[in-house]
Amino acid sequence: MHDIIRDLNWRYATKKYDSSKKIKKNDLEIIKESLRLVPSSYGLQPLKFIIVNSTELREKLKPISYNQSQITDASHLIIICSYININTSHVDDYLSSILRTRDIAINEIEAFGNSMKTTIDKMKNEEKYKWNKNQAYIALGQLIHTCASLRIDATPMEGFNAKEYDKLLNLSDQNLSASLVVPIGYRHKEDKVQFAKKVRKSQDDLFITL
Ligand SMILES: Cc1cc2nc3c(=O)[nH]c(=O)nc-3n(C[C@H](O)[C@H](O)[C@H](O)COP(=O)(O)O)c2cc1C
């Protein structure tokens, strides 16, 4: 079996974490770099990743996450936040970053910049947030796979009250909203779900070959 398939079969949405086991600093750095390298529409990266270390804060987040025990028991808690709004100044920052990184002339990317600005200008505010939130799911997929390769457990979570998160963490003032929550760490030996067979559709059901 290929390593990728082995990793993907090893992982599962962990329900119970062993709170005594902590992720090593080196592994956390790999996870952070993996999130930095996440692709996004146009490359705009309208995301922030909050790593909540504070136990006190995690205790407060638990009741606004349907009391899911992973919030407090996992080694680390990552909140994937999306920008609420995105505008031409974000595009300009991005264009400057391209110029700096690739050492090219502005005229080489002017058309690209204008096309991004036109697309964004046409969007209503709700559409912008929806677009930015879509980028969070790309980060989620990459995060889960990276963790699985490192034999670190992860739980993708939509089961939380985003409005309450935004309020508690003062996110709106920073043009952010909590899109997804991902506890990461090590499965508890008593988590029965780890022994359950994966339930997935067959390839015949999933693929259409034309
Ligand atoms: C976007 C998303 C949100 C999810 N939210 C939760 C959640 O709040 N709590 C939870 O325990 N599992 C959550 N899950 C886990 C799914 O139930 C799980 O991935 C699915 O049943 C497949 O099982 P597996 O990941 O163990 O293979 C979520 C998964 C995804 C992708």
PDB file of all heavy atoms in Angstrom, residues 56-69 71-72 77 79 157-171 178 181:
ATOM      1  N   GLU A  56      -7.218  28.333  30.009  1.00  0.00           N
ATOM      2  CA  GLU A  56      -8.369  29.117  30.457  1.00  0.00           C
ATOM      3  C   GLU A  56      -9.276  29.453  29.270  1.00  0.00           C
ATOM      4  O   GLU A  56     -10.501  29.300  29.340  1.00  0.00           O
ATOM      5  CB  GLU A  56      -7.822  30.396  31.088  1.00  0.00           C
ATOM      6  CG  GLU A  56      -8.774  31.106  31.991  1.00  0.00           C
ATOM      7  CD  GLU A  56      -8.230  32.486  32.360  1.00  0.00           C
ATOM      8  OE1 GLU A  56      -7.000  32.669  32.353  1.00  0.00           O
ATOM      9  OE2 GLU A  56      -9.064  33.366  32.616  1.00  0.00           O
ATOM     10  N   LEU A  57      -8.656  29.861  28.187  1.00  0.00           N
ATOM     11  CA  LEU A  57      -9.406  30.218  26.979  1.00  0.00           C
ATOM     12  C   LEU A  57     -10.085  28.976  26.391  1.00  0.00           C
ATOM     13  O   LEU A  57     -11.234  29.023  25.942  1.00  0.00           O
ATOM     14  CB  LEU A  57      -8.453  30.856  25.966  1.00  0.00           C
ATOM     15  CG  LEU A  57      -9.034  31.792  24.912  1.00  0.00           C
ATOM     16  CD1 LEU A  57     -10.016  32.780  25.518  1.00  0.00           C
ATOM     17  CD2 LEU A  57      -7.900  32.543  24.221  1.00  0.00           C
ATOM     18  N   ARG A  58      -9.391  27.867  26.423  1.00  0.00           N
ATOM     19  CA  ARG A  58      -9.968  26.634  25.859  1.00  0.00           C
ATOM     20  C   ARG A  58     -11.150  26.166  26.685  1.00  0.00           C
ATOM     21  O   ARG A  58     -12.124  25.639  26.144  1.00  0.00           O
ATOM     22  CB  ARG A  58      -8.882  25.569  25.710  1.00  0.00           C
ATOM     23  CG  ARG A  58      -8.026  25.874  24.465  1.00  0.00           C
ATOM     24  CD  ARG A  58      -6.769  25.079  24.384  1.00  0.00           C
ATOM     25  NE  ARG A  58      -7.013  23.665  24.183  1.00  0.00           N
ATOM     26  CZ  ARG A  58      -6.063  22.776  23.881  1.00  0.00           C
ATOM     27  NH1 ARG A  58      -4.814  23.188  23.729  1.00  0.00           N
ATOM     28  NH2 ARG A  58      -6.352  21.525  23.729  1.00  0.00           N
ATOM     29  N   GLU A  59     -11.103  26.380  27.989  1.00  0.00           N
ATOM     30  CA  GLU A  59     -12.264  26.065  28.853  1.00  0.00           C
ATOM     31  C   GLU A  59     -13.462  26.923  28.451  1.00  0.00           C
ATOM     32  O   GLU A  59     -14.600  26.470  28.507  1.00  0.00           O
ATOM     33  CB  GLU A  59     -11.924  26.319  30.327  1.00  0.00           C
ATOM     34  CG  GLU A  59     -11.001  25.281  30.961  1.00  0.00           C
ATOM     35  CD  GLU A  59     -11.616  23.879  31.044  1.00  0.00           C
ATOM     36  OE1 GLU A  59     -12.849  23.733  30.916  1.00  0.00           O
ATOM     37  OE2 GLU A  59     -10.826  22.919  31.198  1.00  0.00           O
ATOM     38  N   LYS A  60     -13.184  28.170  28.064  1.00  0.00           N
ATOM     39  CA  LYS A  60     -14.274  29.068  27.658  1.00  0.00           C
ATOM     40  C   LYS A  60     -14.811  28.711  26.263  1.00  0.00           C
ATOM     41  O   LYS A  60     -15.965  28.972  25.965  1.00  0.00           O
ATOM     42  CB  LYS A  60     -13.769  30.528  27.644  1.00  0.00           C
ATOM     43  CG  LYS A  60     -13.591  31.122  29.023  1.00  0.00           C
ATOM     44  CD  LYS A  60     -13.233  32.587  28.914  1.00  0.00           C
ATOM     45  CE  LYS A  60     -12.926  33.154  30.297  1.00  0.00           C
ATOM     46  NZ  LYS A  60     -12.144  34.381  30.228  1.00  0.00           N
ATOM     47  N   LEU A  61     -13.949  28.143  25.441  1.00  0.00           N
ATOM     48  CA  LEU A  61     -14.376  27.795  24.074  1.00  0.00           C
ATOM     49  C   LEU A  61     -15.212  26.503  24.050  1.00  0.00           C
ATOM     50  O   LEU A  61     -16.040  26.319  23.167  1.00  0.00           O
ATOM     51  CB  LEU A  61     -13.152  27.634  23.161  1.00  0.00           C
ATOM     52  CG  LEU A  61     -12.377  28.926  22.840  1.00  0.00           C
ATOM     53  CD1 LEU A  61     -11.053  28.618  22.148  1.00  0.00           C
ATOM     54  CD2 LEU A  61     -13.210  29.873  21.969  1.00  0.00           C
ATOM     55  N   LYS A  62     -14.991  25.651  25.037  1.00  0.00           N
ATOM     56  CA  LYS A  62     -15.673  24.345  25.040  1.00  0.00           C
ATOM     57  C   LYS A  62     -17.206  24.469  25.021  1.00  0.00           C
ATOM     58  O   LYS A  62     -17.856  23.868  24.155  1.00  0.00           O
ATOM     59  CB  LYS A  62     -15.181  23.519  26.241  1.00  0.00           C
ATOM     60  CG  LYS A  62     -15.596  22.074  26.179  1.00  0.00           C
ATOM     61  CD  LYS A  62     -14.975  21.326  27.332  1.00  0.00           C
ATOM     62  CE  LYS A  62     -15.576  19.957  27.482  1.00  0.00           C
ATOM     63  NZ  LYS A  62     -15.101  19.280  28.675  1.00  0.00           N
ATOM     64  N   PRO A  63     -17.808  25.260  25.947  1.00  0.00           N
ATOM     65  CA  PRO A  63     -19.278  25.351  25.910  1.00  0.00           C
ATOM     66  C   PRO A  63     -19.831  25.969  24.630  1.00  0.00           C
ATOM     67  O   PRO A  63     -20.973  25.706  24.281  1.00  0.00           O
ATOM     68  CB  PRO A  63     -19.624  26.217  27.130  1.00  0.00           C
ATOM     69  CG  PRO A  63     -18.362  26.844  27.572  1.00  0.00           C
ATOM     70  CD  PRO A  63     -17.234  26.003  27.087  1.00  0.00           C
ATOM     71  N   ILE A  64     -19.029  26.748  23.929  1.00  0.00           N
ATOM     72  CA  ILE A  64     -19.532  27.310  22.660  1.00  0.00           C
ATOM     73  C   ILE A  64     -19.080  26.437  21.472  1.00  0.00           C
ATOM     74  O   ILE A  64     -19.100  26.847  20.327  1.00  0.00           O
ATOM     75  CB  ILE A  64     -19.148  28.814  22.487  1.00  0.00           C
ATOM     76  CG1 ILE A  64     -17.652  29.065  22.642  1.00  0.00           C
ATOM     77  CG2 ILE A  64     -19.946  29.677  23.445  1.00  0.00           C
ATOM     78  CD1 ILE A  64     -17.233  30.506  22.347  1.00  0.00           C
ATOM     79  N   SER A  65     -18.683  25.192  21.814  1.00  0.00           N
ATOM     80  CA  SER A  65     -18.317  24.191  20.803  1.00  0.00           C
ATOM     81  C   SER A  65     -19.073  22.898  21.129  1.00  0.00           C
ATOM     82  O   SER A  65     -18.514  21.800  21.056  1.00  0.00           O
ATOM     83  CB  SER A  65     -16.814  23.910  20.816  1.00  0.00           C
ATOM     84  OG  SER A  65     -16.060  25.094  20.891  1.00  0.00           O
ATOM     85  N   TYR A  66     -20.326  23.048  21.522  1.00  0.00           N
ATOM     86  CA  TYR A  66     -21.180  21.900  21.881  1.00  0.00           C
ATOM     87  C   TYR A  66     -20.511  20.993  22.904  1.00  0.00           C
ATOM     88  O   TYR A  66     -20.682  19.782  22.867  1.00  0.00           O
ATOM     89  CB  TYR A  66     -21.579  21.115  20.628  1.00  0.00           C
ATOM     90  CG  TYR A  66     -22.391  21.949  19.667  1.00  0.00           C
ATOM     91  CD1 TYR A  66     -21.774  22.607  18.608  1.00  0.00           C
ATOM     92  CD2 TYR A  66     -23.764  22.120  19.843  1.00  0.00           C
ATOM     93  CE1 TYR A  66     -22.509  23.409  17.734  1.00  0.00           C
ATOM     94  CE2 TYR A  66     -24.501  22.920  18.979  1.00  0.00           C
ATOM     95  CZ  TYR A  66     -23.867  23.558  17.930  1.00  0.00           C
ATOM     96  OH  TYR A  66     -24.593  24.344  17.080  1.00  0.00           O
ATOM     97  N   ASN A  67     -19.708  21.574  23.770  1.00  0.00           N
ATOM     98  CA  ASN A  67     -19.028  20.827  24.834  1.00  0.00           C
ATOM     99  C   ASN A  67     -18.166  19.670  24.333  1.00  0.00           C
ATOM    100  O   ASN A  67     -17.985  18.674  25.051  1.00  0.00           O
ATOM    101  CB  ASN A  67     -20.037  20.311  25.860  1.00  0.00           C
ATOM    102  CG  ASN A  67     -20.389  21.409  26.837  1.00  0.00           C
ATOM    103  OD1 ASN A  67     -19.511  22.131  27.324  1.00  0.00           O
ATOM    104  ND2 ASN A  67     -21.682  21.565  27.085  1.00  0.00           N
ATOM    105  N   GLN A  68     -17.670  19.775  23.138  1.00  0.00           N
ATOM    106  CA  GLN A  68     -16.830  18.684  22.598  1.00  0.00           C
ATOM    107  C   GLN A  68     -15.510  18.659  23.376  1.00  0.00           C
ATOM    108  O   GLN A  68     -14.802  19.669  23.461  1.00  0.00           O
ATOM    109  CB  GLN A  68     -16.604  18.883  21.100  1.00  0.00           C
ATOM    110  CG  GLN A  68     -17.918  18.865  20.305  1.00  0.00           C
ATOM    111  CD  GLN A  68     -17.688  18.784  18.806  1.00  0.00           C
ATOM    112  OE1 GLN A  68     -17.287  17.740  18.277  1.00  0.00           O
ATOM    113  NE2 GLN A  68     -17.922  19.880  18.108  1.00  0.00           N
ATOM    114  N   SER A  69     -15.198  17.463  23.911  1.00  0.00           N
ATOM    115  CA  SER A  69     -14.060  17.352  24.825  1.00  0.00           C
ATOM    116  C   SER A  69     -12.714  17.618  24.132  1.00  0.00           C
ATOM    117  O   SER A  69     -11.722  17.984  24.776  1.00  0.00           O
ATOM    118  CB  SER A  69     -14.031  15.959  25.456  1.00  0.00           C
ATOM    119  OG  SER A  69     -13.783  14.990  24.454  1.00  0.00           O
ATOM    120  N   ILE A  71     -11.799  20.007  22.441  1.00  0.00           N
ATOM    121  CA  ILE A  71     -11.405  21.429  22.550  1.00  0.00           C
ATOM    122  C   ILE A  71     -10.397  21.629  23.684  1.00  0.00           C
ATOM    123  O   ILE A  71      -9.425  22.374  23.542  1.00  0.00           O
ATOM    124  CB  ILE A  71     -12.668  22.323  22.779  1.00  0.00           C
ATOM    125  CG1 ILE A  71     -13.617  22.213  21.590  1.00  0.00           C
ATOM    126  CG2 ILE A  71     -12.286  23.782  23.089  1.00  0.00           C
ATOM    127  CD1 ILE A  71     -13.166  22.887  20.312  1.00  0.00           C
ATOM    128  N   THR A  72     -10.621  20.943  24.798  1.00  0.00           N
ATOM    129  CA  THR A  72      -9.723  21.119  25.947  1.00  0.00           C
ATOM    130  C   THR A  72      -8.661  20.014  26.051  1.00  0.00           C
ATOM    131  O   THR A  72      -7.600  20.238  26.608  1.00  0.00           O
ATOM    132  CB  THR A  72     -10.530  21.149  27.264  1.00  0.00           C
ATOM    133  OG1 THR A  72     -11.474  20.072  27.225  1.00  0.00           O
ATOM    134  CG2 THR A  72     -11.248  22.480  27.446  1.00  0.00           C
ATOM    135  N   LEU A  77      -4.898  23.528  19.856  1.00  0.00           N
ATOM    136  CA  LEU A  77      -6.172  23.868  19.216  1.00  0.00           C
ATOM    137  C   LEU A  77      -5.917  24.949  18.169  1.00  0.00           C
ATOM    138  O   LEU A  77      -5.397  26.027  18.485  1.00  0.00           O
ATOM    139  CB  LEU A  77      -7.164  24.383  20.269  1.00  0.00           C
ATOM    140  CG  LEU A  77      -8.552  24.708  19.729  1.00  0.00           C
ATOM    141  CD1 LEU A  77      -9.315  23.435  19.385  1.00  0.00           C
ATOM    142  CD2 LEU A  77      -9.359  25.514  20.744  1.00  0.00           C
ATOM    143  N   ILE A  79      -7.571  27.421  15.323  1.00  0.00           N
ATOM    144  CA  ILE A  79      -8.795  28.019  14.780  1.00  0.00           C
ATOM    145  C   ILE A  79      -8.416  28.617  13.428  1.00  0.00           C
ATOM    146  O   ILE A  79      -7.522  29.467  13.341  1.00  0.00           O
ATOM    147  CB  ILE A  79      -9.357  29.119  15.705  1.00  0.00           C
ATOM    148  CG1 ILE A  79      -9.558  28.557  17.117  1.00  0.00           C
ATOM    149  CG2 ILE A  79     -10.678  29.658  15.153  1.00  0.00           C
ATOM    150  CD1 ILE A  79      -9.921  29.637  18.142  1.00  0.00           C
ATOM    151  N   MET A 157     -13.586  20.426  12.653  1.00  0.00           N
ATOM    152  CA  MET A 157     -14.802  20.778  13.399  1.00  0.00           C
ATOM    153  C   MET A 157     -15.534  21.980  12.841  1.00  0.00           C
ATOM    154  O   MET A 157     -14.961  23.066  12.702  1.00  0.00           O
ATOM    155  CB  MET A 157     -14.438  21.119  14.846  1.00  0.00           C
ATOM    156  CG  MET A 157     -14.292  19.927  15.717  1.00  0.00           C
ATOM    157  SD  MET A 157     -14.190  20.523  17.430  1.00  0.00           S
ATOM    158  CE  MET A 157     -14.093  18.952  18.244  1.00  0.00           C
ATOM    159  N   GLU A 158     -16.802  21.741  12.554  1.00  0.00           N
ATOM    160  CA  GLU A 158     -17.724  22.847  12.254  1.00  0.00           C
ATOM    161  C   GLU A 158     -18.689  23.013  13.416  1.00  0.00           C
ATOM    162  O   GLU A 158     -19.507  23.938  13.407  1.00  0.00           O
ATOM    163  CB  GLU A 158     -18.545  22.520  10.997  1.00  0.00           C
ATOM    164  CG  GLU A 158     -17.849  22.803   9.702  1.00  0.00           C
ATOM    165  CD  GLU A 158     -18.670  22.369   8.487  1.00  0.00           C
ATOM    166  OE1 GLU A 158     -19.417  21.378   8.586  1.00  0.00           O
ATOM    167  OE2 GLU A 158     -18.552  23.032   7.458  1.00  0.00           O
ATOM    168  N   GLY A 159     -18.605  22.099  14.366  1.00  0.00           N
ATOM    169  CA  GLY A 159     -19.525  22.095  15.501  1.00  0.00           C
ATOM    170  C   GLY A 159     -19.127  23.100  16.572  1.00  0.00           C
ATOM    171  O   GLY A 159     -18.683  22.725  17.659  1.00  0.00           O
ATOM    172  N   PHE A 160     -19.278  24.372  16.243  1.00  0.00           N
ATOM    173  CA  PHE A 160     -19.015  25.429  17.230  1.00  0.00           C
ATOM    174  C   PHE A 160     -19.814  26.653  16.788  1.00  0.00           C
ATOM    175  O   PHE A 160     -20.240  26.745  15.636  1.00  0.00           O
ATOM    176  CB  PHE A 160     -17.512  25.758  17.293  1.00  0.00           C
ATOM    177  CG  PHE A 160     -16.968  26.358  16.029  1.00  0.00           C
ATOM    178  CD1 PHE A 160     -16.813  27.730  15.897  1.00  0.00           C
ATOM    179  CD2 PHE A 160     -16.638  25.561  14.942  1.00  0.00           C
ATOM    180  CE1 PHE A 160     -16.344  28.293  14.714  1.00  0.00           C
ATOM    181  CE2 PHE A 160     -16.175  26.115  13.756  1.00  0.00           C
ATOM    182  CZ  PHE A 160     -16.018  27.478  13.644  1.00  0.00           C
ATOM    183  N   ASN A 161     -19.995  27.580  17.721  1.00  0.00           N
ATOM    184  CA  ASN A 161     -20.769  28.782  17.423  1.00  0.00           C
ATOM    185  C   ASN A 161     -19.801  29.897  16.988  1.00  0.00           C
ATOM    186  O   ASN A 161     -19.133  30.516  17.816  1.00  0.00           O
ATOM    187  CB  ASN A 161     -21.558  29.178  18.683  1.00  0.00           C
ATOM    188  CG  ASN A 161     -22.468  30.340  18.423  1.00  0.00           C
ATOM    189  OD1 ASN A 161     -22.155  31.233  17.640  1.00  0.00           O
ATOM    190  ND2 ASN A 161     -23.609  30.340  19.086  1.00  0.00           N
ATOM    191  N   ALA A 162     -19.741  30.113  15.687  1.00  0.00           N
ATOM    192  CA  ALA A 162     -18.754  31.061  15.142  1.00  0.00           C
ATOM    193  C   ALA A 162     -18.971  32.473  15.702  1.00  0.00           C
ATOM    194  O   ALA A 162     -17.991  33.172  16.002  1.00  0.00           O
ATOM    195  CB  ALA A 162     -18.817  31.059  13.626  1.00  0.00           C
ATOM    196  N   LYS A 163     -20.241  32.849  15.856  1.00  0.00           N
ATOM    197  CA  LYS A 163     -20.510  34.216  16.363  1.00  0.00           C
ATOM    198  C   LYS A 163     -19.931  34.388  17.761  1.00  0.00           C
ATOM    199  O   LYS A 163     -19.349  35.412  18.102  1.00  0.00           O
ATOM    200  CB  LYS A 163     -22.023  34.461  16.392  1.00  0.00           C
ATOM    201  CG  LYS A 163     -22.585  34.785  15.034  1.00  0.00           C
ATOM    202  CD  LYS A 163     -23.874  35.626  15.164  1.00  0.00           C
ATOM    203  CE  LYS A 163     -24.350  36.045  13.787  1.00  0.00           C
ATOM    204  NZ  LYS A 163     -25.421  35.186  13.247  1.00  0.00           N
ATOM    205  N   GLU A 164     -20.115  33.346  18.598  1.00  0.00           N
ATOM    206  CA  GLU A 164     -19.596  33.404  19.974  1.00  0.00           C
ATOM    207  C   GLU A 164     -18.059  33.387  19.990  1.00  0.00           C
ATOM    208  O   GLU A 164     -17.431  34.050  20.803  1.00  0.00           O
ATOM    209  CB  GLU A 164     -20.141  32.233  20.809  1.00  0.00           C
ATOM    210  CG  GLU A 164     -21.644  32.283  21.054  1.00  0.00           C
ATOM    211  CD  GLU A 164     -22.044  33.458  21.953  1.00  0.00           C
ATOM    212  OE1 GLU A 164     -21.245  33.842  22.808  1.00  0.00           O
ATOM    213  OE2 GLU A 164     -23.160  33.978  21.762  1.00  0.00           O
ATOM    214  N   TYR A 165     -17.466  32.612  19.084  1.00  0.00           N
ATOM    215  CA  TYR A 165     -16.000  32.600  18.976  1.00  0.00           C
ATOM    216  C   TYR A 165     -15.501  34.005  18.618  1.00  0.00           C
ATOM    217  O   TYR A 165     -14.560  34.523  19.223  1.00  0.00           O
ATOM    218  CB  TYR A 165     -15.558  31.621  17.875  1.00  0.00           C
ATOM    219  CG  TYR A 165     -15.171  30.241  18.351  1.00  0.00           C
ATOM    220  CD1 TYR A 165     -16.095  29.421  18.992  1.00  0.00           C
ATOM    221  CD2 TYR A 165     -13.887  29.735  18.145  1.00  0.00           C
ATOM    222  CE1 TYR A 165     -15.748  28.141  19.396  1.00  0.00           C
ATOM    223  CE2 TYR A 165     -13.533  28.459  18.552  1.00  0.00           C
ATOM    224  CZ  TYR A 165     -14.468  27.667  19.175  1.00  0.00           C
ATOM    225  OH  TYR A 165     -14.115  26.407  19.591  1.00  0.00           O
ATOM    226  N   ASP A 166     -16.171  34.593  17.608  1.00  0.00           N
ATOM    227  CA  ASP A 166     -15.744  35.912  17.129  1.00  0.00           C
ATOM    228  C   ASP A 166     -15.800  36.928  18.263  1.00  0.00           C
ATOM    229  O   ASP A 166     -14.922  37.783  18.398  1.00  0.00           O
ATOM    230  CB  ASP A 166     -16.618  36.375  15.947  1.00  0.00           C
ATOM    231  CG  ASP A 166     -16.429  35.491  14.714  1.00  0.00           C
ATOM    232  OD1 ASP A 166     -15.547  34.617  14.753  1.00  0.00           O
ATOM    233  OD2 ASP A 166     -17.170  35.669  13.729  1.00  0.00           O
ATOM    234  N   LYS A 167     -16.874  36.799  19.081  1.00  0.00           N
ATOM    235  CA  LYS A 167     -17.060  37.743  20.190  1.00  0.00           C
ATOM    236  C   LYS A 167     -15.969  37.539  21.251  1.00  0.00           C
ATOM    237  O   LYS A 167     -15.276  38.477  21.646  1.00  0.00           O
ATOM    238  CB  LYS A 167     -18.457  37.524  20.797  1.00  0.00           C
ATOM    239  CG  LYS A 167     -18.992  38.754  21.482  1.00  0.00           C
ATOM    240  CD  LYS A 167     -20.513  38.787  21.622  1.00  0.00           C
ATOM    241  CE  LYS A 167     -21.091  37.576  22.284  1.00  0.00           C
ATOM    242  NZ  LYS A 167     -22.490  37.615  22.590  1.00  0.00           N
ATOM    243  N   LEU A 168     -15.807  36.289  21.665  1.00  0.00           N
ATOM    244  CA  LEU A 168     -14.846  35.983  22.730  1.00  0.00           C
ATOM    245  C   LEU A 168     -13.413  36.362  22.339  1.00  0.00           C
ATOM    246  O   LEU A 168     -12.629  36.852  23.159  1.00  0.00           O
ATOM    247  CB  LEU A 168     -14.921  34.490  23.071  1.00  0.00           C
ATOM    248  CG  LEU A 168     -14.040  33.985  24.196  1.00  0.00           C
ATOM    249  CD1 LEU A 168     -14.508  34.541  25.543  1.00  0.00           C
ATOM    250  CD2 LEU A 168     -14.044  32.458  24.266  1.00  0.00           C
ATOM    251  N   LEU A 169     -13.071  36.130  21.089  1.00  0.00           N
ATOM    252  CA  LEU A 169     -11.685  36.354  20.654  1.00  0.00           C
ATOM    253  C   LEU A 169     -11.494  37.708  19.962  1.00  0.00           C
ATOM    254  O   LEU A 169     -10.418  37.994  19.445  1.00  0.00           O
ATOM    255  CB  LEU A 169     -11.241  35.223  19.715  1.00  0.00           C
ATOM    256  CG  LEU A 169     -11.344  33.815  20.293  1.00  0.00           C
ATOM    257  CD1 LEU A 169     -11.168  32.767  19.209  1.00  0.00           C
ATOM    258  CD2 LEU A 169     -10.303  33.601  21.396  1.00  0.00           C
ATOM    259  N   ASN A 170     -12.578  38.498  19.994  1.00  0.00           N
ATOM    260  CA  ASN A 170     -12.482  39.850  19.415  1.00  0.00           C
ATOM    261  C   ASN A 170     -12.052  39.820  17.950  1.00  0.00           C
ATOM    262  O   ASN A 170     -11.201  40.608  17.531  1.00  0.00           O
ATOM    263  CB  ASN A 170     -11.448  40.636  20.233  1.00  0.00           C
ATOM    264  CG  ASN A 170     -11.933  42.020  20.497  1.00  0.00           C
ATOM    265  OD1 ASN A 170     -13.068  42.360  20.140  1.00  0.00           O
ATOM    266  ND2 ASN A 170     -11.090  42.836  21.083  1.00  0.00           N
ATOM    267  N   LEU A 171     -12.623  38.901  17.196  1.00  0.00           N
ATOM    268  CA  LEU A 171     -12.133  38.685  15.833  1.00  0.00           C
ATOM    269  C   LEU A 171     -12.656  39.708  14.827  1.00  0.00           C
ATOM    270  O   LEU A 171     -11.917  40.125  13.931  1.00  0.00           O
ATOM    271  CB  LEU A 171     -12.487  37.260  15.368  1.00  0.00           C
ATOM    272  CG  LEU A 171     -11.798  36.131  16.127  1.00  0.00           C
ATOM    273  CD1 LEU A 171     -12.248  34.774  15.612  1.00  0.00           C
ATOM    274  CD2 LEU A 171     -10.287  36.257  16.012  1.00  0.00           C
ATOM    275  N   ALA A 178     -14.155  33.185  12.716  1.00  0.00           N
ATOM    276  CA  ALA A 178     -13.734  31.786  12.878  1.00  0.00           C
ATOM    277  C   ALA A 178     -14.477  30.915  11.867  1.00  0.00           C
ATOM    278  O   ALA A 178     -15.704  30.902  11.848  1.00  0.00           O
ATOM    279  CB  ALA A 178     -14.033  31.321  14.300  1.00  0.00           C
ATOM    280  N   VAL A 181     -12.533  24.853  13.302  1.00  0.00           N
ATOM    281  CA  VAL A 181     -11.719  24.600  14.490  1.00  0.00           C
ATOM    282  C   VAL A 181     -11.100  23.209  14.337  1.00  0.00           C
ATOM    283  O   VAL A 181     -11.783  22.280  13.902  1.00  0.00           O
ATOM    284  CB  VAL A 181     -12.600  24.670  15.763  1.00  0.00           C
ATOM    285  CG1 VAL A 181     -11.791  24.349  17.004  1.00  0.00           C
ATOM    286  CG2 VAL A 181     -13.236  26.043  15.880  1.00  0.00           C
TER     287      VAL A 181
END
